[in-house]
Amino acid sequence: MSGEAVGERRWDALVIGGGIAGLTAAWDLVRAGLRPLLIEARGYTGGLVAAGRIGGARMDLGAEGFVVRGQAATSMLADLGLRTAAPHGRPRLFLPPLAPGAGAGSSQWGLHRFPDHAYLGIPADPLAADVVAIIGEEAARRAAQDADLPGTAGTGPEDPGDLASFVTARMGTGVLERLVRPIVAGIHSADPADLAADVVMPGLRRATAELGSLSAAVAAVLERRRARQDGAGGRSVDAAVEGGLFRLTDALRETIEAGGGSVRTRTGAQWLRPGDGQDCAGGEAPAAWRVGIAPTRRGPTPSDEPVPDGSQEVVATDHVVVACSAGAALRLLRGIPGLPASATDLTVPVGAPIARFTLVARAPELSGEPVGSGLLVAPTGVAGPAELAGPAAAASAGPGASGLVSDGMVPGGRSARPVACPVRAKALSHLSAKWPWVGAELRALHGPDVHALRLSYGRPGQPRPQVDLQVALGDVAALTGVRIEPETVIDHMLVRWDGTLPPVTPAYRERTRHLEEQLAPVTGLEVTGAWVAGTGIAAVVEHARAAAGRLAGSHGR
Ligand SMILES: Cc1cc2nc3c(=O)[nH]c(=O)nc-3n(C[C@H](O)[C@H](O)[C@H](O)COP(=O)(O)OP(=O)(O)OC[C@H]3O[C@@H](n4cnc5c(N)ncnc54)[C@H](O)[C@@H]3O)c2cc1C
């Protein structure tokens, strides 16, 4: 099949997948003087960076911001003439009450401010008042013992590589359960026990070993972030693109096309083979790669992969970037002769069934921004310390944590009944407050007091959440204290992102590393995207730019 020149056409490069990874790679290839063809199986470019109109205002429906890490993303934004913006307002945590005697005032779930000096919830000073208010005095004392542990505790090669074990080994379950788990679950849609610490926080384990404690490592990260922030004119390190992240993917596509590249949506790669040494159609020199591409139509549901629909054509090229989703990428790579089966024999972990319900409503009480930019709800089961007294606490301590001080959060024998979570949502974002341009557009369209709220649902391992307006409004009332009547709702939209954020477990990380090593000697081929780079715009852009740089470097050799 691969040898047939059915409608064969030669391109300088082929980029498979039009998410942020593929667009970034194609953009860099254009800058290097190549004219790539980018194909995207769905009907739009951007992938998990997607936009839609709700209440008439265009908003991000998927990713909306990124953590500034290195220069890869920020320099790209600057070159594209886009401005970065920081989220307005600070997020909160919605947590169960602490056990009696642990320093708690209330017996109800309640809102807490994020601690001032923490990184993904890990405090630089476990005894700071805002940390103690969240985790209680005993847990704070246990967390402070991190400074007395040797730097090797929890950081050795024999220690488990997941974030939960690492944090527990150093600071105990109080920090894990009431800070790290709710924050990481909200940001990564995954449990810290399922995430490789070195992927979520590159360098943190090594810095802990070197500096002697996790709190010192976090303090160093925060210091570097502060310096970077100062260097960026005081802008926040949590950045977005002014007007919406979708402006970035829109601008990338425009620049690719303006630079001589071509973008085709509803077109998917079906197979990938090395060139067979035969001259290409029209007598052109043999190409290194041949790729079968075909039109696509929607799969059975919007979350399913698009399916081929129409006659195939062949792209001949010397440069291929595989930047599509994991399943499709692995199918393509399995067609490369000589690649050991062990390289592509990897199972992508199952991601949470994410559902996001956005509503636009007239709600004057929200003008006071009662929950800042939004809040994260602690996972159910994190409810109270009583739950930590059982086997879960022992299991989360991890095998490598032996010989460490015992956790101070659950004194023996105490039993408090966990207080059930009053909401089904796992997060709420006050979008019109967090992103001022959303608020301004809605006010211009509908007048004052109109707000946009987004509720997120779907935790790992749980069934697909069933959400409607009634459920969402109930959760808004419980979380913000503001009751919105259905008749004041101007518009609403449910968007599902089932399984699109698979957790990068330590084992999975090892497998993708192995794959990358096996692919490194293969010329004219690069693989990129979140499934190999690690989740998040910053990681993906950096990885995609490095991949495009290698291909462009090999061009003309
Ligand atoms: C709800 C949600 C919110 C998020 N929020 C944030 C955030 O705020 N900040 C952050 O940093 N990260 C966030 N992320 C993560 C971030 O969006 C992703 O890590 C990143 O966008 C992944 O980009 P990608 O290009 O690797 O993959 P994708 O965006 O998945 O792109 C891959 C593309 O390949 C296409 N494709 C598949 N098969 C084929 C084929 N055979 N041929 C051609 N094309 C194909 C797919 O249709 C898809 O468009 C979020 C993710 C989700 C789901």
Side-chain angles (χ1 to χ4, degrees), residues 53-113:
R53 283 196 187 279
I54 307 175
R58 198 159 177 231
M59 301 178 202
D60 284 310
L61 301 178
E64 58 182 7
F66 60 96
V67 176
V68 178
R69 209 165 81 179
Q71 297 295 315
T74 44
S75 67
M76 183 166 86
L77 286 170
D79 284 339
L80 289 164
L82 296 169
R83 288 162 59 101
T84 50
H88 170 80
R90 295 191 58 190
R92 319 274 159 108
L93 284 171
F94 190 63
L95 296 173
L98 277 166
S106 160
S107 59
Q108 300 296 315
W109 281 61
L111 281 177
H112 299 260
R113 294 182 73 92

